[in-house]
Amino acid sequence: MIRRGKVTITDIAKHVGMTNMTVSRALNKPDKVKPETRERILAAASQLGYVPNAFASHLRSRKNRLVGLVTASVDNPFYSEVIKAISRSAAQHDYTIMLIDTDGSAELEAVAIETLLSYQVAGIILSPVSDDAGYRPAYLERLRAAHLPMVMIDRILDVGDFSRVVLDNHHAGRLLGEWLVRQEVGQVLALTGPSGSRITQDRMAGLVAAYEAAGKTLSLEQRPGDYTLQPGYRDMSAYLAREPPPEAVFGFNQLITLGAMRALHDAQIDWDAVKVVGVDRLPYADIFDVSVPCAAHDTYRAGHEAIQLLFERINDSTSPVREVVIAADLV
């Protein structure tokens, strides 16, 4: 016996002895079916307890009014304002967002792209799982073959045929380096993203450049992580287990910085004993009387620029590839 709520068009077709196509037309385009056939199918659907898939119907009715948004980590606070900006701008243009979180998995990212292609989205905004120069996912050729507009944001792939919105990561590193120089800090523990990440490399280069420009000596130790909280906590804890606290800790994104601060708290190290700086704003830190200098980017603007670049390509496939750079401010 078919459970109520699980009845499909195939079940109805078998029940009335007709094809799936005829049943589908009766349910979705009733004017295309003879009245007696339509009534028989509708009666069978009611008898069996058929419940139409409203979501699928919505997608069908909005074909090519969908925009895919693929991000490596929805739980990263950096993306909350990005997603808000994209969603609001899409709604203003009568588009719907399909958001997919790949959780940092290259396999899930490939599945996400295939899923969006199958839904015939109008375009895709992508923050890849990696910005390592050697990361060249196979789905790039699928997107090119489909002539599907795509815009990359934050992390970008090492290709030149897609528009992108990027952060000025060198500038962010330099801003914080200059602040550390002014504080006469000579020793820095840098808790970073993957060592092969261009974001990591640019932020590190900016930090070093600030010391070189000031003619100051820098004792720098790098602990690569993956831009999430747990590695930041782990590496900070491991450092404190074998070394005295460093003069300063530089968290390469918000989650890493929070992980380091949690480790310092658990080790009962006074906030005045270690200077903590980081990329990305730390909201609500002032509630706990903690001041953390941050190189903060306008993430809402980043999302807004990304969707505008995508609309450019959707509306005109010959529009040139563009790059928008978002600079940080010291806050």
Side-chain angles (χ1 to χ4, degrees):
M1 183 180 215
I2 299 169
R3 290 184 297 162
R4 188 175 182 86
K6 298 295 183 181
V7 178
T8 66
I9 285 175
T10 300
D11 298 323
I12 299 172
K14 289 179 179 178
H15 186 81
V16 297
M18 299 180 190
T19 66
N20 286 12
M21 184 177 293
T22 301
V23 173
S24 179
R25 283 178 178 168
L27 296 174
N28 299 302
K29 298 179 179 179
D31 56 309
K32 302 291 184 181
V33 180
K34 294 179 180 179
E36 58 270 24
T37 300
R38 181 175 67 248
E39 292 304 319
R40 184 180 168 194
I41 289 172
L42 291 176
S46 176
Q47 178 186 345
L48 295 173
Y50 172 73
V51 178
N53 187 330
F55 179 66
S57 299
H58 173 71
L59 292 181
R60 282 193 298 270
S61 68
R62 294 182 58 80
K63 183 179 178 182
N64 294 328
R65 304 298 294 182
L66 293 168
V67 169
L69 174 56
V70 181
T71 174
S73 180
V74 167
D75 61 354
N76 186 336
F78 171 88
Y79 289 108
S80 61
E81 288 293 298
V82 169
I83 294 169
K84 184 189 298 183
I86 292 171
S87 180
R88 286 179 177 176
S89 188
Q92 290 171 1
H93 290 79
D94 195 31
Y95 278 80
T96 298
I97 294 295
M98 287 189 68
L99 173 62
I100 303 179
D101 180 8
T102 62
D103 200 25
S105 165
E107 292 77 14
L108 290 179
E109 183 173 272
V111 171
I113 297 299
E114 288 297 327
T115 299
L116 293 173
L117 284 168
S118 72
Y119 275 109
Q120 300 181 40
V121 295
I124 295 174
I125 296 175
L126 168 68
S127 181
V129 300
S130 173
D131 68 336
D132 189 296
Y135 181 54
R136 292 292 186 89
Y139 62 70
L140 284 172
E141 292 306 319
R142 292 273 289 129
L143 294 172
R144 288 169 179 142
H147 303 289
L148 186 69
M150 184 179 79
V151 172
M152 293 176 287
I153 184 169
D154 186 26
R155 297 171 179 157
I156 61 171
L157 302 171
D158 191 20
V159 294
D161 51 338
F162 296 101
S163 292
R164 71 281 309 276
V165 176
V166 297
L167 309 181
D168 190 338
N169 293 297
H170 188 279
H171 178 64
R174 182 151 186 161
L175 279 178
L176 292 172
E178 289 170 347
W179 185 89
L180 291 168
V181 167
R182 291 194 296 272
Q183 305 304 309
E184 300 183 348
V185 170
Q187 179 203 15
V188 176
L189 172 64
L191 304 178
T192 76
S195 56
S197 161
R198 283 166 294 176
I199 293 174
T200 293
Q201 294 165 359
D202 287 348
R203 290 177 182 176
M204 184 70 79
L207 168 64
V208 172
Y211 276 81
E212 290 178 345
K216 299 295 184 180
T217 300
L218 173 62
S219 174
L220 177 62
E221 181 172 343
Q222 178 184 1
R223 294 293 184 89
D226 65 359
Y227 289 117
T228 60
L229 188 147
Q230 192 55 39
Y233 177 81
R234 176 200 65 208
D235 292 339
M236 187 76 254
S237 298
Y239 184 95
L240 295 172
R242 65 174 181 80
E243 302 281 355
E247 286 185 61
V249 177
F250 184 165
F252 269 40
N253 82 341
Q254 183 184 72
L255 293 176
I256 293 174
T257 305
L258 289 171
M261 292 173 68
R262 177 183 166 193
L264 289 166
H265 175 270
D266 289 354
Q268 298 183 330
I269 294 174
D270 192 89
W271 291 121
D272 295 331
V274 179
K275 290 180 172 57
V276 178
V277 300
V279 178
D280 300 336
R281 199 179 299 270
L282 288 182
Y284 313 123
D286 58 324
I287 294 175
F288 306 99
D289 294 322
V290 177
S291 177
V292 179
C294 298
H297 300 91
D298 187 341
T299 50
Y300 190 92
R301 182 190 162 208
H304 178 76
E305 294 286 359
I307 190 79
Q308 297 310 311
L309 287 177
L310 189 67
F311 285 145
E312 283 183 13
R313 299 290 287 182
I314 290 173
N315 296 328
D316 180 4
S317 61
T318 65
S319 62
V321 171
R322 293 205 296 121
E323 177 177 276
V324 175
V325 180
I326 309 293
D329 293 313
L330 188 64
V331 298

